[in-house]
Amino acid sequence: ASAPYPHASVVGEDLFQTGVIPGDTDYRIYRDHGHMPGMDIAYISNGYIYHTLLDNAARVRAGSMQRNGENLLATMRSIIASPILEDPSGHGEHGPIYFDVLGLFLVVYSEATAFVLNVGALVATAVVVVALGWLTPSVLVSFAVLLMSLLAALLAIVAVAAVLWALGMQMIWYSTPALLAGLFACPAFLAIASVHHWYRHLV
C-alpha cells in the first residue's frame, strides 16, 4: 500500500493462480520448490510478445522502468519496517483483499473484513427493500429474470471459452483485445436478449 504508483487487484492474482492465464515468471520456482513467500511484478503492455523472439528491452517504456523502481523501493522499505517479518504467523493462508483506486492509492483489508462488508451490504439492502415495500411479486419476478439473464450470459461465455480451449486458441484475442467484443461480449448480449425475449412471450 506504500507504492507511489499502485496498480494492483486481487482479482488479477486469483485469475493468474488458477492457471487460466498461461503466463509464468521466475518467482514460481522459489514459490513451488523453495516455498518462499514473495511478490510478482510484471508488465502487461504488449504481453503477447512475452517469452517470444519479439521480446526485447526496447519494447519496455522508460517510464515503466522508473515507476517500477519507485514502487519496488517504497514497497521494500515498507516490508522491512513491517512487524510481519518478526511474526509472519497468521499471514500465509489467507491473503488480503486489495485494489487500487484510479492508480492513486491502494485499498487493503482482510478476508474477515470483506465478509463483514458483504454480509452487511446484503442485510442493509434486504432491510431497505422490505421497509420501503419493494418486495412485491413483480419485483421478485424481475429479479429472477435478471439472475437468469446473468446466468445465460455466463454460460455463453464459458461455452465460447470451452470451444476456443478445445481448438487450442484460448489466447487468440491477446494480441488484439478488440476481438473480445465479438468472441465474448456478443454471445453474452445475445444470451441476455434471448432470456428477455423468452420472458416477454411467456407473459
Side-chain angles (χ1 to χ4, degrees), residues 150-162:
L150 294 177
L151 179 60
L154 179 61
L155 290 176
I157 292 173
V158 171
V160 172

Side-chain angles (χ1 to χ4, degrees), residues 42-178:
Y43 298 101
I44 59 175
S45 179
N46 296 327
Y48 59 92
I49 64 171
Y50 185 54
H51 284 182
T52 69
L53 295 177
L54 300 176
D55 196 357
N56 57 64
R59 294 182 180 272
V60 181
R61 298 177 181 176
S64 297
M65 297 291 290
Q66 179 65 35
R67 287 191 295 273
N68 189 15
E70 293 182 31
N71 278 342
L72 188 58
L73 178 61
T75 301
M76 289 299 100
R77 285 175 172 170
S78 176
I79 291 175
I80 291 173
S82 172
I84 295 177
L85 288 181
E86 298 179 3
D87 182 18
S89 60
H91 295 278
E93 294 185 6
H94 303 287
I97 309 300
Y98 60 88
F99 56 89
D100 70 275
V101 178
L102 302 177
L104 299 175
F105 57 89
L106 201 65
V107 177
V108 183
Y109 51 89
S110 66
E111 285 188 355
T113 301
F115 178 79
V116 172
L117 291 175
N118 292 334
V119 172
L122 184 62
V123 171
T125 301
V127 169
V128 170
V129 168
V130 173
L132 296 179
W134 290 350
L135 196 62
T136 62
S138 61
V139 170
L140 292 176
V141 170
S142 299
F143 185 69
V145 172
L146 176 61
L147 287 180
M148 291 173 60
S149 300
L150 294 177
L151 179 60
L154 179 61
L155 290 176
I157 292 173
V158 171
V160 172
V163 171
L164 292 177
W165 192 281
L167 297 174
M169 303 170 64
Q170 62 267 30
M171 297 299 289
I172 190 175
W173 55 269
Y174 200 30
S175 62
T176 311

